[in-house]
Amino acid sequence: MSDGNGPRLASATGLGLGCAELFRLPSARARLRVLDAALDAGIDHFDVAPMYGLGAAERELGALVRGRRERMTIATKYGIEPTALARALARVQGPARRALGARPAWRSRARTSALGPDAGAVGRLLYATSGYGVAAARASLERSLRALGADHVDVLLLHDPPPDRALGDDVAGFMEDARARGLIRTWGVAGEVRPVAAVAAALAARPPVLQVRDDVLHPGLELLGAADGQVTITFGSLGTAIGRVVSHLRARPADRERWRGIVGVDCGDPEALAALLLRHARLRNPSGVTLFGTSRAERLEPAVAAATSASLDAAARALAGLVGAELDAAGERRAPA
């Protein structure tokens, strides 16, 4: 979404939908229902990449875009592509995902491999690094625009670029040229905090957008050192923290009750915990965008309500304080002082 003075990434909700999670659903129709529900709930920022859904995610998001482009901002990426095998599998992923749904252990291994070409043998079969230079950026942007059926994307991000890879001084120049031509509204770097910070510092021009992991167990924004005027998009606020906090408290009933007394919410309840984590993420990045993913349409309106509820501020801060004082980054109990 653009207001005429440049990109405005954050909507009134401050939330963006990460589209990778949608592909836990076996049918395109079910995935489109979630995308529709996100727009209906007030979420207007959508994060996608060529690798998501084995190459199908941009095309499916494009089906939502038609007739509603002015209501949305779309961020896509370049640098990691699905292989020919992955694209072939995309045509039969409905039956494959139904099979994975019946076998949790298989589903877990598949989700790990979907992290990219560095995630083991399966990851290398499904995804490949296409490079981060100008030729790769141009080709990927052209493919993304065709898949989305759009004349521009709002954000084009370098996808997990290794900090030790020379990008060349012309990458920033290409991005600025694409922005001047109206093919993109803005650009940036996406990935884990330390690599993103290193790559951003090495580019010839300062990237306007930085997209990084940030959660209550692994706070990343302080390490990022974003400059004035840079927009930050965060992801990962729910994924690791929910499982580790819930398992920690369910194994320690006395701590669970003590936390309930301090926070005012049962932090051993995943739904209640998710609401606090989303609000905490918004408090940490109030002028940026917080990405989250879900494959369940009924979770979207509660997520928006939690993210925008100032009444949760005290509880969210109390939760963060307890996590910081009592759990380490691996989710384990800290040794007593």
Side-chain angles (χ1 to χ4, degrees):
M1 183 181 299
S2 176
D3 60 8
N5 298 312
R8 180 173 63 82
L9 298 185
S11 69
T13 70
L15 290 183
L17 187 71
C19 294
E21 188 78 5
L22 291 175
F23 283 82
R24 296 176 63 182
L25 294 169
S27 77
R29 181 175 298 178
R31 295 189 289 269
L32 186 58
R33 279 199 296 269
V34 176
L35 291 169
D36 272 322
L39 266 181
D40 290 343
I43 296 170
D44 55 18
H45 181 86
F46 294 82
D47 180 84
V48 71
M51 68 176 283
Y52 292 171
L54 301 176
E58 288 180 317
R59 184 180 67 251
E60 291 191 10
L61 182 59
L64 177 68
V65 166
R66 296 184 187 101
R68 293 182 279 192
R69 184 67 179 94
E70 73 285 351
R71 295 175 55 190
M72 306 166 64
T73 60
I74 297 174
T76 193
K77 309 176 185 75
Y78 86 94
I80 301 175
E81 299 281 346
T83 62
L85 173 62
R87 293 184 185 278
L89 290 173
R91 294 193 286 271
V92 295
Q93 64 180 304
R97 291 189 185 276
R98 280 188 285 272
L100 288 172
R103 296 169 175 81
W106 291 11
R107 184 173 65 241
S108 177
R109 284 193 287 272
R111 292 181 71 184
T112 298
S113 69
L115 294 173
D118 296 328
V122 175
R124 288 190 294 273
L125 285 172
L126 297 178
Y127 309 105
T129 300
S130 57
Y132 296 93
V134 169
R138 181 181 293 111
S140 187
L141 176 58
E142 290 172 356
R143 286 194 297 269
S144 292
L145 291 173
R146 286 196 299 271
L148 289 163
D151 61 0
H152 74 279
V153 295
D154 296 279
V155 193
L156 181 61
L157 299 162
L158 283 73
H159 196 177
D160 287 334
D164 57 350
R165 177 170 297 187
L167 300 178
D169 293 340
D170 50 354
V171 172
F174 168 79
M175 293 292 197
E176 290 299 331
D177 179 65
R179 179 156 64 171
R181 294 167 58 200
L183 299 176
I184 66 175
R185 296 290 183 257
T186 192
W187 63 279
V189 186
E192 301 297 327
V193 173
R194 293 185 189 278
V196 163
V199 169
L203 288 165
R206 187 180 73 183
V209 178
L210 301 175
Q211 180 166 307
V212 297
R213 183 184 305 279
D214 184 80
D215 70 43
V216 72
L217 283 165
H218 308 87
L221 291 179
E222 292 79 2
L223 300 173
L224 188 61
D228 289 344
Q230 280 183 312
V231 174
T232 52
I233 302 173
T234 57
F235 63 91
S237 60
L238 301 184
T240 301
I242 286 183
R244 289 178 176 170
V245 172
V246 168
S247 63
H248 173 82
L249 293 179
R250 287 185 175 178
R252 299 168 177 84
D255 282 353
R256 183 172 180 174
E257 287 304 310
R258 179 170 56 83
W259 282 38
R260 187 204 298 261
I262 295 170
V263 177
V265 171
D266 179 10
C267 299
D269 175 354
E271 297 293 333
L273 178 61
L276 295 185
L277 291 172
L278 280 175
R279 184 57 188 166
H280 178 256
R282 294 305 305 136
L283 290 172
R284 286 181 55 76
N285 189 28
S287 60
V289 176
T290 300
L291 297 178
F292 82 110
T294 183
S295 57
R296 293 172 57 181
E298 67 271 18
R299 288 182 171 170
L300 292 162
E301 288 190 0
V304 169
T308 57
S309 176
S311 66
L312 295 179
D313 288 3
R317 291 189 176 105
L319 167 67
L322 286 168
V323 170
E326 299 185 25
L327 277 74
D328 64 18
E332 299 301 326
R333 189 182 185 89
R334 292 188 187 277

